[in-house]
Amino acid sequence: MTVSDAVERFAVDPFGADIAAETAALRALGPIVPVELPGGIPAWAPTGHDVLKDLILDPRVSKNPRLHWRLWTELGEHPSWGWVLGWVGVVNMFTTYGPEHARLRRLVAPSFTHKRTEAMRPRVETITAELLDTVERAGADGAAVDVKALFAYELPLRMICELFGVPAELRADTAELIAAIMDTSDPGPEHTAFVQERIGTVLGSLIAHKTAHPGDDMTTELIRVRDEDGDRLSDEELLYTLLLVIGAGFETTVNLIGNAVVALLSDPGQLAAVRAGDISWDAVIDETLRVHPSIAALPLRYAVSDLKIGDVVVPAGDAILTTYAAAGLDPEHHGDTAHLFDAARGTDDHLAFGIGVHRCVGAPLARLEARTALPALFDRFPALTPAFAPGDLRQVPSFIAFGWQRIPVRLG
């Protein structure tokens, strides 16, 4: 069975209001489902762990829209499709295929070595302590404190800006740019124009600043990088590589820390087991990434040739979502309790950081930050309690990002 563009498609909620429920509804329709993304973009959504893993690893699935998305040339005819340009209309490791992807990863990956990540541990610990002091002052009178805004947000922002040498005057603009790209609630042309303008302005200013004032930071490294053959990043590749690695290293870690805090505060029994040492913090991090992956769905991949999945054929040239939330919540892979946060289950085969050649190069840094932040938070405030009731929290306006707008707590 193939599906034409005229077929009725499942409309993905651009606000991502209830990603778990939407994932369950899609799964009931089959292993891969035709969907409509914000603005009317047609795509396919895999609904289970094994299907998604197979597609990610399949060489017949590309990430290069210029070569393999049959609707690429039609983007200009659909103003409401423009939002996707911030994701697929860029040239970096995220949107390349085969030898070109290998070339870019070869240039970028050395900046994200294990040794360099470990060297950042003392700085992560220092910033964590400073931010917890701020949280303590804010909640000293018993008032509710937004632990996302003061802690889960600030730690990754400060770390990524220090790592890339982002000057103080560009930090707020950088955070605003990443939030705008993640926001899929407004696919209109005005939002698209804003994002495209800010990419050039904000990141262009960062490149100009670091060219004039080089330092011991990753932006300087990426400006200078050359491989053994003398190859280097072009101006366009540099701009969009910075967009990728700064965005991936910031927003995703914000949600990882925030989602773990909410999961533990919502289950005092598990929190007690973690604090007693019966469950490790590494297990908490992996279970958070499985049940509440920082990225719920990522646009886009493309079928290089016809793909047969069950009794469905995805035609060559069609777009495919990378559905991490669907994979993590798949009961066929994780059991009937897949929808429940249970750090004691010991599952670490989630796909939240990707797999294969496109696995996230910044995953070790995200783990380091979360592994530092979470025990520090609960050690400093052992009586920490939620200042929210079940169902009170609101998802950020995105079907891509999986996180909360605010996380109010009381320090106890």
Side-chain angles (χ1 to χ4, degrees), residues 235-288:
D235 291 345
E236 182 183 33
E237 290 166 349
L238 173 62
L239 181 74
Y240 291 132
T241 293
L242 287 170
L243 177 66
L244 171 63
V245 292
I246 291 175
F250 165 50
E251 179 76 17
T252 54
T253 311
V254 172
N255 291 338
L256 170 55
I257 295 170
N259 291 346
V261 169
V262 171
L264 291 174
L265 289 179
S266 301
D267 192 329
Q270 284 196 69
L271 176 56
V274 174
R275 291 183 54 79
D278 297 329
I279 300 173
S280 72
W281 285 106
D282 290 320
V284 169
I285 290 168
D286 278 318
E287 183 69 351
T288 301

Side-chain angles (χ1 to χ4, degrees), residues 341-388:
F341 180 92
D342 179 8
R345 77 173 72 232
T347 301
D348 61 0
D349 66 340
H350 59 79
L351 303 176
F353 285 128
I355 191 171
V357 297
H358 282 280
R359 180 173 170 79
C360 177
V361 295
L365 177 59
R367 285 187 178 276
L368 170 62
E369 292 181 33
R371 185 63 181 79
T372 303
L374 291 169
L377 173 68
F378 287 99
D379 285 347
R380 175 74 75 93
F381 308 113
L384 192 72
T385 56
F388 57 86

Side-chain angles (χ1 to χ4, degrees), residues 58-73:
D58 194 329
R60 298 171 300 164
V61 177
S62 167
K63 296 195 76 174
N64 190 327
R66 293 167 179 82
L67 293 179
H68 300 121
W69 189 19
R70 62 182 176 80
L71 299 180
W72 172 251
T73 57

Side-chain angles (χ1 to χ4, degrees), residues 18-92:
D18 193 338
I19 288 171
E22 184 173 83
T23 293
L26 283 165
R27 186 176 295 111
L29 298 175
I32 190 163
V33 179
V35 295
E36 180 181 285
L37 305 185
I41 299 174
W44 293 85
T47 63
H49 178 279
D50 292 344
V51 171
L52 179 61
K53 181 178 178 180
D54 289 346
L55 286 170
I56 291 175
L57 296 176
D58 194 329
R60 298 171 300 164
V61 177
S62 167
K63 296 195 76 174
N64 190 327
R66 293 167 179 82
L67 293 179
H68 300 121
W69 189 19
R70 62 182 176 80
L71 299 180
W72 172 251
T73 57
E74 298 181 21
L75 278 177
E77 302 172 17
H78 303 274
S80 62
W81 293 12
W83 66 269
V84 85
L85 285 172
W87 293 94
V88 308
V90 296
V91 181
N92 54 33

Side-chain angles (χ1 to χ4, degrees), residues 48-394:
H49 178 279
D50 292 344
V51 171
L52 179 61
K53 181 178 178 180
D54 289 346
L55 286 170
I56 291 175
L57 296 176
D58 194 329
R60 298 171 300 164
V61 177
S62 167
K63 296 195 76 174
N64 190 327
R66 293 167 179 82
L67 293 179
H68 300 121
W69 189 19
R70 62 182 176 80
L71 299 180
W72 172 251
T73 57
E74 298 181 21
L75 278 177
E77 302 172 17
H78 303 274
S80 62
W81 293 12
W83 66 269
V84 85
L85 285 172
W87 293 94
V88 308
V90 296
V91 181
N92 54 33
M93 292 186 299
F94 186 76
T95 60
T96 46
Y97 175 73
E100 188 61 11
H101 172 265
R103 168 187 163 266
L104 289 174
R105 193 173 181 98
R106 185 175 65 248
L107 289 170
V108 173
S111 296
F112 292 86
T113 62
H114 175 75
K115 181 179 179 180
R116 180 154 197 167
T117 299
E118 277 302 307
M120 290 184 281
R121 186 180 296 275
R123 188 59 183 148
V124 174
E125 293 171 348
T126 298
I127 294 175
T128 296
E130 292 173 358
L131 293 175
L132 290 176
D133 290 344
T134 301
V135 171
E136 186 167 8
R137 288 192 295 270
D141 61 356
V145 177
D146 183 359
V147 77
K148 175 181 178 178
L150 295 183
F151 186 60
Y153 178 91
E154 284 294 324
L155 173 59
L157 177 62
R158 287 180 60 175
M159 281 306 305
I160 206 70
C161 286
E162 289 189 12
L163 190 59
F164 283 88
V166 179
E169 63 270 20
L170 286 178
R171 292 188 176 188
D173 288 339
T174 300
E176 179 189 41
L177 168 61
I178 302 306
I181 291 174
M182 291 288 179
D183 186 347
T184 57
S185 64
D186 178 11
E190 295 82 6
H191 181 77
T192 299
F194 172 79
V195 168
Q196 295 302 311
E197 185 275 330
R198 298 306 282 168
I199 289 173
T201 301
V202 176
L203 297 181
S205 296
L206 172 60
I207 293 169
H209 175 79
K210 299 311 299 182
T211 300
H213 305 91
D216 182 18
D217 57 76
M218 288 195 182
T219 301
T220 299
E221 283 190 18
L222 292 173
I223 290 171
R224 292 173 170 174
V225 67
R226 293 179 187 270
D227 68 11
E228 58 188 14
D229 298 321
D231 188 23
R232 63 183 301 169
L233 296 170
S234 69
D235 291 345
E236 182 183 33
E237 290 166 349
L238 173 62
L239 181 74
Y240 291 132
T241 293
L242 287 170
L243 177 66
L244 171 63
V245 292
I246 291 175
F250 165 50
E251 179 76 17
T252 54
T253 311
V254 172
N255 291 338
L256 170 55
I257 295 170
N259 291 346
V261 169
V262 171
L264 291 174
L265 289 179
S266 301
D267 192 329
Q270 284 196 69
L271 176 56
V274 174
R275 291 183 54 79
D278 297 329
I279 300 173
S280 72
W281 285 106
D282 290 320
V284 169
I285 290 168
D286 278 318
E287 183 69 351
T288 301
L289 291 167
R290 182 190 71 80
V291 181
H292 305 294
S294 302
I295 297 295
L298 202 55
L300 286 168
R301 283 174 157 86
Y302 317 95
V304 175
S305 57
D306 289 355
L307 304 172
K308 193 171 190 303
I309 301 166
D311 62 352
V312 174
V313 174
V314 176
D318 275 16
I320 303 168
L321 273 180
T322 309
T323 46
Y324 297 120
L329 296 170
D330 182 5
E332 290 191 10
H333 188 80
H334 297 291
D336 293 340
T337 61
H339 61 292
L340 299 177
F341 180 92
D342 179 8
R345 77 173 72 232
T347 301
D348 61 0
D349 66 340
H350 59 79
L351 303 176
F353 285 128
I355 191 171
V357 297
H358 282 280
R359 180 173 170 79
C360 177
V361 295
L365 177 59
R367 285 187 178 276
L368 170 62
E369 292 181 33
R371 185 63 181 79
T372 303
L374 291 169
L377 173 68
F378 287 99
D379 285 347
R380 175 74 75 93
F381 308 113
L384 192 72
T385 56
F388 57 86
D392 280 356
L393 299 183
R394 294 290 175 264

